[in-house]
């Protein structure tokens, strides 16, 4: 069995794509997933399943949600090692003291165009960012919701992504490694 982290994009946001986590767990069980743990209503899932390609599992999950709920979510899948690497590679260790100011954007693929200079022009004087492998890290101490950089990063990098703050990342890491 392989342990996976599924990060759903746009679940239970603004009254759209409603999917209770208990129902999501049942849906995942119906397609062969096991040891399913969820965290908050925005679609953060840790589970195990038989080894398969990342794309095949993401497609199975999206197909099952579409069939049962009438919408097709974007699902970012990471292996346990990929997720732990994202946490270990955080370039802003000093920002974890204020975990809601530090954000991890998990990218669907490596961006072809890495125009970080354009992104730097959007950053405020207090914002810091870095792109390491398939994760864009953003420290936005003045607020994520008002950040022009946060709003533009997907368009500027040209790849699908979903963001989680450090609090959520820590919780998911805890689900991967229960004490």
């Amino acid at each position: 069995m392989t342990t996976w982290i599924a990060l759903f994009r746009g679940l239970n946001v603004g009254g759209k794509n409603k999917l209770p986590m208990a129902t999501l767990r049942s849906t995942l069980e119906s397609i062969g997933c096991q040891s399913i743990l969820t965290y908050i209503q925005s679609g953060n899932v840790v589970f195990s399943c038989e080894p398969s390609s990342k794309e095949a599992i993401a497609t199975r999950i999206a197909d099952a949600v579409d069939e049962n709920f009438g919408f097709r979510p974007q699902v970012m899948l990471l292996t346990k090692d990929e997720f732990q690497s994202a946490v270990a590679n955080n370039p802003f260790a000093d920002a974890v003291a204020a975990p809601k100011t530090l954000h991890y954007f998990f990218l669907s693929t490596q961006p072809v165009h890495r125009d970080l200079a354009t992104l730097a022009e959007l950053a405020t004087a207090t914002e810091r960012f870095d792109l390491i492998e398939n994760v864009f890290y953003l420290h936005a101490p003045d607020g994520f919701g008002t950040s022009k950089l946060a709003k533009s990063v997907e368009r500027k990098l040209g790849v699908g992504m979903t963001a989680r703050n450090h609090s959520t990342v820590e919780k998911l890491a805890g689900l991967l490694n229960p004490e």
Side-chain angles (χ1 to χ4, degrees):
M1 296 293 260
T2 301
T3 300
W4 296 93
I5 296 85
L7 303 172
F8 287 74
R9 180 170 179 179
L11 272 192
N12 300 323
V13 177
K16 295 183 179 181
N17 298 338
K18 290 184 180 183
L19 182 55
M21 293 301 99
T23 307
L24 177 58
R25 285 190 298 274
S26 298
T27 301
L28 294 176
E29 285 174 357
S30 76
I31 61 170
C33 300
Q34 300 175 12
S35 305
I36 303 163
L37 301 169
T38 59
Y39 175 66
I40 63 176
Q41 294 297 315
S42 59
N44 303 290
V45 185
V46 174
F47 66 96
S48 298
C49 69
E50 292 298 327
S52 183
S53 77
K54 187 183 289 192
E55 294 78 19
I57 295 169
T59 298
R60 259 186 16 226
I61 292 170
D63 287 348
V65 171
D66 191 21
E67 181 179 311
N68 290 298
F69 304 99
F71 67 91
R72 185 172 193 80
Q74 184 176 3
V75 181
M76 302 288 181
L77 269 183
L78 295 97
T79 64
K80 180 178 180 176
D81 288 345
E82 288 170 333
F83 188 83
Q84 290 174 327
S85 177
V87 175
N89 288 338
N90 168 22
F92 306 119
D94 60 319
V96 301
K100 293 190 178 193
T101 68
L102 177 59
H103 302 273
Y104 299 64
F105 291 73
F106 295 93
L107 283 59
S108 59
T109 61
Q110 285 278 339
V112 175
H113 304 289
R114 299 171 52 103
D115 187 2
L116 301 182
T118 300
L119 291 173
E121 292 172 8
L122 296 170
T124 66
T126 61
E127 290 178 328
R128 301 179 288 166
F129 68 90
D130 202 351
L131 176 61
I132 302 173
E133 296 174 3
N134 281 12
V135 183
F136 180 84
Y137 300 87
L138 173 62
H139 178 228
D142 297 329
F144 183 79
T146 60
S147 172
K148 289 180 184 178
L149 177 55
K151 291 175 186 163
S152 301
V153 67
E154 182 173 33
R155 185 173 40 82
K156 295 293 185 185
L157 292 179
V159 298
M161 60 184 69
T162 189
R164 299 297 188 271
N165 69 33
H166 187 73
S167 292
T168 297
V169 168
E170 279 186 323
K171 278 290 195 188
L172 290 171
L175 294 177
L176 287 171
N177 301 306
E179 294 179 38

